[in-house]
Amino acid sequence: MMRSRHFGLPVLPMLMALVLASPALLEARSIPIPFFGKSACKEERARLGHEEKILRDRQRLALDQCRAGSGPGRGGCEDMERQQKTEQKRFKDRRKNTLDDCKNRGDAKNRVDAQNRDRKRR
C-alpha cells in the first residue's frame, strides 16, 4: 500500500504539467514554418498549375474544332496555333515571374527573421 501511494505523488505533478503544456504544444505544431519560401509558394504553384492545365485543355479544344471545321487541309488553323504558342509562352513567363517573386518574398522574410533573432541575442 505504501509503495503505490508514494509512486502516485511524483506522477501526479508530471501529469498535470503535461495536461497544462499540451494545448501550447498543439498550438505550436499547427503553425506552418516556411522552408526557404517553398511552403509559402506551394498554393501559388498549385493554382498556376491548375490554370496552365485549363489553358492547355481550352486551346486543344479550340484547335480540334478548327481542324474539324476547316476540312482536310490544315492551312486555316496555323494562325491559331501560332497565337496559342504565343499565349503559352506569355503564361509560362508570367508563371516564372510570379513564382520567382514568391520565392524572393520568402527569402526576404527569412533574412528579416534571422536579423531579428540576431538582434534579440545581442
Side-chain angles (χ1 to χ4, degrees), residues 34 62 70 77 92 102 114 117:
S70 67
C77 301
K92 286 180 181 181
C102 184
R117 282 192 303 269

Side-chain angles (χ1 to χ4, degrees), residues 100-116:
D100 286 348
D101 289 347
C102 184
K103 183 177 182 258
N104 290 337
R105 281 193 311 267
D107 290 345
K109 183 181 182 321
N110 287 342
R111 280 193 299 272
V112 168
D113 290 345
Q115 289 172 353
N116 289 339

Side-chain angles (χ1 to χ4, degrees), residues 12 22 55-56 63 87 91 109:
L12 185 61
S22 64
L55 176 67
R56 272 187 278 126
L63 193 59
E87 191 176 2
F91 180 84
K109 183 181 182 321

